[in-house]
Amino acid sequence: MISAFTGILLSLKKEVDILQPPTQKGVSKELSEWKSLDEISIIASDAFQKAYPETDNTINRMDVRPSKGIVKVLFKNGYWEVQVDGQSGAVKSIARRHADWIESLHDGSIISDIFKLISMNILGIGLVFMIVTGLWLWYGPKQYRKLKRNR
């Protein structure tokens, strides 16, 4: 049930701003006009530290969106992101990414990577088993009736 419900939420993450902050638009799409990733990381870390001084601001990854002119800087703890304009370095958004913790709940990695590996394989095998047996329960009686009529 958890996997199904969180799967539904994840399918809506681009449509519902509370699940994942909308991607802002930057000034320029031309990468040659952008600040370096080092500068952007410093800008994002400083802005995040000012907004949430009690929270660890260790960067997990940076999502570069040239088509939007934006760099999303994602932090390790708390599922936070800071969106920075690639050219001007202006902070466009500081927000929590609820879709990230929902995804870790969905795939079981919120508990551990071993749990994720085991549980997702069991769920996958179980789903394949249910599909195959369901098809057989639908198709088998049709074949049986067909054979019975032909006798």
Side-chain angles (χ1 to χ4, degrees):
M1 289 298 291
I2 291 171
S3 190
F5 181 69
T6 55
I8 291 167
L9 287 175
L10 289 172
S11 73
L12 299 171
K13 73 181 181 182
K14 300 285 186 191
E15 316 307 322
V16 180
D17 293 348
I18 250 174
L19 296 175
Q20 183 170 305
T23 303
Q24 304 296 315
K25 293 206 187 299
V27 175
S28 173
K29 296 177 184 180
E30 194 59 46
L31 292 175
S32 61
E33 299 172 359
W34 283 25
K35 295 188 174 299
S36 71
L37 290 179
D38 184 48
E39 289 176 286
I40 290 172
S41 70
I42 291 167
I43 291 167
S45 291
D46 289 347
F48 184 69
Q49 196 65 47
K50 285 178 190 167
Y52 300 97
E54 307 285 319
T55 309
D56 177 27
N57 68 339
T58 305
I59 293 175
N60 180 27
R61 66 185 185 273
M62 297 171 78
D63 181 2
V64 178
R65 303 281 177 103
S67 64
K68 300 277 188 171
I70 285 290
V71 178
K72 294 182 178 187
V73 180
L74 292 88
F75 295 91
K76 283 186 180 180
N77 296 316
Y79 306 104
W80 289 95
E81 81 170 18
V82 175
Q83 293 186 36
V84 179
D85 184 302
Q87 181 184 19
S88 70
V91 174
K92 297 286 192 169
S93 166
I94 300 175
R96 187 164 263 167
R97 295 172 55 99
H98 294 288
D100 289 356
W101 70 262
I102 292 171
E103 183 176 341
S104 64
L105 182 62
H106 175 73
D107 68 12
S109 63
I110 199 164
I111 295 172
S112 74
D113 285 338
I114 292 294
F115 179 80
K116 172 186 173 180
L117 179 68
I118 293 168
S119 67
M120 288 300 110
N121 280 305
I122 289 171
L123 283 171
I125 291 166
L127 182 59
V128 169
F129 178 76
M130 287 173 47
I131 289 170
V132 169
T133 57
L135 286 171
W136 177 251
L137 288 172
W138 169 75
Y139 183 71
K142 286 184 175 204
Q143 287 300 106
Y144 181 72
R145 283 192 293 273
K146 186 176 179 183
L147 284 172
K148 205 172 179 183
R149 267 185 272 153
N150 290 339
R151 284 187 193 177

